[in-house]
Amino acid sequence: MEENNEQGKEIKNNANIQEIVEETIQHLNNPVTDLKPIVKKYLTAVQHVVAEGNKFYFSDGDARVEVRVVSDEIIRVRLAPHGVFLDDFSYAVPVVDQKVTTFRIDETEDHYHISTNTVTCNVRKLDFQISFSDNISGQVMNEDHSPMHWEENVDFGGYYVYATKQCLPEENFFGLGDKSGNMNLRGRHFQNWNTDAYSFGWEQDPLYRTIPFYVGLHDTTAYGIFFDNTFRSYFDFGREDQTKTSFWADGGELQYYYIHGPHMMDVVKRYQTLTGTHPMPPQWAIGYQQCRWSYYPESKVKEVAEGFRSRQIPCDAIYLDIDYMDGYRCFTWNKKHFPDPKRMIKELNDIGMKTVVMIDPGIKVDDNYWVFKEGKDKNFFCRRSDDYFMEGHVWPGRCQFPDFTNPTVREWWGGLYKELVDLGVAGVWNDMNEPAVFGSGTFPNDVRHNYDGYRGSHRKAHNVYGMQMVRSTYDGLKKLMRNKRPFTITRAGYSGMQRYGCVWTGDNVASWEHLKMGNIQCQRMSVSGVPFCGTDIGGFSGEPTPELFTRWIQLGTFSPFMRAHSAGDTAEREPWSFGEPFTSINRKFIELRYKLMPYIYSVFWEHHRYGFPILRPMVMLEQDNISNHYRQDEFTFGDKILICPILEPGAVSRMVYLPKGKWFNYWSHEVLTGGQEHHVDAPLDIMPIFVRAGSVVPEYPVMQFVGEKRIDEVRMNIYYADYEVNSFLYEDHGDTFAYEQDIYSEKKFNVKGDAESLTIRQSVEGLYTPNYELYTYNVVGIPFEVKKITIDDKDIVDFSMDEHNCLQFKSNKNFHYIRITI
Ligand code: GLC
């Protein structure tokens, strides 16, 4: 064998370079797939239709298509090339049917029309082309370019499946989850295959996660397509042909959901009704978190933890990356570096620092290692098609891998966390679960998976492997922590992963380009249904300049997941590592995160309860302004706070676009008119932040960690508006699931102003009562001279204007209404 190889090398070495070049060009011109004749089959004329409840079956005599009314605004389409549908099972969508008000089928000369209250799915009899239209405007939102088609593959016994839609000249595209590059996807081609993409670059594809969901935006109206197919899939947004948008997959079923708008926000919220929202995270997990590969031994962990406390920089969690383990064996400890983990974790807890640990899927092949032995004895590890174990090298060396698509394996794995939970570990970080394997990249396609009883090869299970791992972790922790909210992070995932954990964008680089890219990535993940997302602040590999690190902390303050992380071969990367003035600026922004905790937490609730994305790109705020289809720096966190990060070295000011309405500069309180761009100052200690006029933005006192002190007093920042605006404040116990039993408090504020008065009304919902009774009011931007303040019929005599011209007063009880007049 070896000899042959050597000989082969020899021949190549002697070959004429020109010949090799020509050979290569020939290969490029004749991709391997072209060697086999491709026979694509298309649906032909519709021959008959059968209705079964909310499902309609169309056939061209051989293939069948199911059109299913999921809700008033969601319709699902499935194709069975030879008439037999696959089992209806999805990891992304646990329950397909939602509430439908009414639906019906009509037949015209050339079409069948299935309509709900709001949307109609039209099936053309002649050629089986499908379109979706809005019932009120009649606008066709999405339309086939050619009928659905497929290609039989005898090697694996399935079909390559294709859908090709019309791509209109003015149409733009957003979403698709974990993609780098510009926010607007028009003109690009993508592939979904979860990949360990160390130091990935601008427009590198594929990356770590698969979210086959996009939003299409015509001039002013949006719709969504969710292609629920876990195989390697592809999307093309007018790249191959400007008139076509296509999506296809290397297997599985052609199954997609059409999701109606007309607003991009409606589409995303409806996508979340299919795939679920993120559960409320423990409140501490919204605090700042510090990570590194790796903090060890114990003395180093404590030094870093105490470093935060002695410098009065807030932080809620410290991470133990792989080096805490014994030879990278999951669920073990390196006793030399961590002789008494229980004591260490307690001592960290005593100063308010939670411990989060790394757990990877690769289990070291070692008969003296209990996890390996158990997995082997129970037959829980993945096997190849001919029954050999799936083996590959990862951090511990030779490894085998649990089949997380097997519910029994998930149950077992979830239970393995018992000792870590008993030791006091507060969160778990699942990494390398694309799954990543050194050398080969990932598993070979022939590896078999249980797939919750709907068996399949790795071709089908690859993209859900990571999601099923973090699902097992989340469910296991939930049981072990007895009604405390688990905190989990995963690197890989598939649509629906948001039900089980938060994500970070993987191994980024300490560069300005990555800061810019990470900003877009987090916004994109947010509008793709995965809102609890962050980047490695500072960049994982490489060295950030002090300025870059500080600008990253500033942006990170408004990343749903705020964690600094770095590779082990880089210089230290704590918020104080760069000296002054950087330490103070970093502290100022981390403190801001803690001040805004009640606002940030409320935005998480808005996502969990109502499906709103946490970060909202400009295009989502004002989709009818075409220039916003190309903006990608500015975004809002929730509805009220707009962020405009500084993404260039040396910048001390920048242009910012503000949506229509009035906005207050958070720092200077200057009022700016939206619907246009403004030039704003941004010296190093300022990142431009704006608050929507009319907002109520609550603040807690700065704490070094969540729960450090009892909250006695809440500051209510009220921003004047001469129109009406609603805000809300959500609070609960912070770490239990009591909110599922309505034990929470949701305060709704209505702010309404005119030239002579400002009125704030409040209503409260839920069964939770916060501790505090003291309210400090800070009213910004009142345009008249205040003479009188009334809270629920009682006049407040003690009020003043501070040096920023803000009205200050206090009250020791909550209110129904406040009236401020001349
Ligand atoms: C992977 C992770 C990174 C981690 C490292 C060591 O590269 O993406 O965050 O620090 O593995 O565990």
Side-chain angles (χ1 to χ4, degrees), residues 293 321-322 358 395 429 431-432 491 504 507 540 565:
W293 176 18
D321 202 326
I322 44 175
M358 161 80 80
W395 306 119
W429 171 24
D431 187 24
M432 306 291 277
R491 196 168 70 176
W504 87 108
D507 295 341
F540 179 69
H565 181 41

Side-chain angles (χ1 to χ4, degrees), residues 196 198 208 291-294 320-323 325 328 358 360 395 429 431-432 434 491 504-508 536 540 563 565-568:
D196 176 5
Y198 172 78
Y208 302 89
C291 186
R292 183 159 167 84
W293 176 18
S294 302
L320 301 180
D321 202 326
I322 44 175
D323 297 287
M325 303 174 197
Y328 306 130
M358 161 80 80
D360 284 339
W395 306 119
W429 171 24
D431 187 24
M432 306 291 277
E434 289 71 33
R491 196 168 70 176
W504 87 108
T505 58
D507 295 341
N508 60 359
D536 282 351
F540 179 69
R563 183 188 75 160
H565 181 41
S566 49

Side-chain angles (χ1 to χ4, degrees), residues 385-414:
S385 57
D386 291 332
D387 233 24
Y388 290 105
F389 282 106
M390 162 58 218
E391 292 204 344
H393 282 249
V394 213
W395 306 119
R398 198 177 136 209
C399 286
Q400 292 189 9
F401 303 82
D403 181 9
F404 294 109
T405 69
N406 180 339
T408 317
V409 175
R410 287 200 298 271
E411 180 85 25
W412 166 70
W413 185 265

Side-chain angles (χ1 to χ4, degrees), residues 298-497:
E298 175 184 331
S299 54
K300 181 70 195 174
V301 179
K302 285 194 144 148
E303 180 195 314
V304 175
E306 279 153 12
F308 278 92
R309 300 297 175 247
S310 64
R311 292 172 181 86
Q312 291 280 289
I313 299 176
C315 181
D316 262 277
I318 191 156
Y319 280 61
L320 301 180
D321 202 326
I322 44 175
D323 297 287
Y324 79 90
M325 303 174 197
D326 171 19
Y328 306 130
R329 289 170 185 82
C330 291
F331 307 103
T332 67
W333 288 82
N334 178 323
K335 287 289 172 147
K336 188 165 148 255
H337 294 140
F338 297 95
D340 188 352
K342 188 163 188 149
R343 177 189 41 74
M344 176 190 76
I345 293 171
K346 183 182 174 300
E347 285 167 8
L348 289 169
N349 262 331
D350 289 345
I351 58 166
M353 196 70 86
K354 302 273 191 298
T355 306
V356 180
V357 301
M358 161 80 80
I359 288 289
D360 284 339
I363 296 300
K364 189 176 175 69
V365 175
D366 171 359
D367 280 319
N368 297 317
Y369 165 36
W370 65 279
V371 179
F372 177 71
K373 261 184 72 47
E374 260 188 52
K376 183 176 162 192
D377 293 347
K378 294 177 194 238
N379 199 14
F380 282 167
F381 294 122
C382 294
R383 288 174 182 252
R384 308 286 301 270
S385 57
D386 291 332
D387 233 24
Y388 290 105
F389 282 106
M390 162 58 218
E391 292 204 344
H393 282 249
V394 213
W395 306 119
R398 198 177 136 209
C399 286
Q400 292 189 9
F401 303 82
D403 181 9
F404 294 109
T405 69
N406 180 339
T408 317
V409 175
R410 287 200 298 271
E411 180 85 25
W412 166 70
W413 185 265
L416 296 179
Y417 290 102
K418 182 167 187 322
E419 192 192 323
L420 290 172
V421 171
D422 289 346
L423 291 174
V425 161
V428 174
W429 171 24
N430 285 162
D431 187 24
M432 306 291 277
N433 51 0
E434 289 71 33
V437 175
F438 295 158
S440 60
T442 190
F443 296 1
N445 277 340
D446 73 295
V447 169
R448 288 151 25 190
H449 292 273
N450 174 284
Y451 213 91
D452 277 65
Y454 302 92
R455 291 172 317 217
S457 71
H458 197 63
R459 300 162 52 84
K460 172 159 112 175
H462 176 82
N463 283 335
V464 296
Y465 187 85
M467 172 190 185
Q468 296 313 303
M469 180 187 187
V470 69
R471 173 186 185 180
S472 144
T473 302
Y474 183 86
D475 289 347
L477 292 179
K478 193 169 171 182
K479 269 192 209 147
L480 293 165
M481 291 174 156
R482 286 189 212 97
N483 202 33
K484 283 263 188 284
R485 298 176 202 168
F487 175 64
T488 49
I489 317 159
T490 178
R491 196 168 70 176
Y494 180 73
S495 291
M497 62 191 285

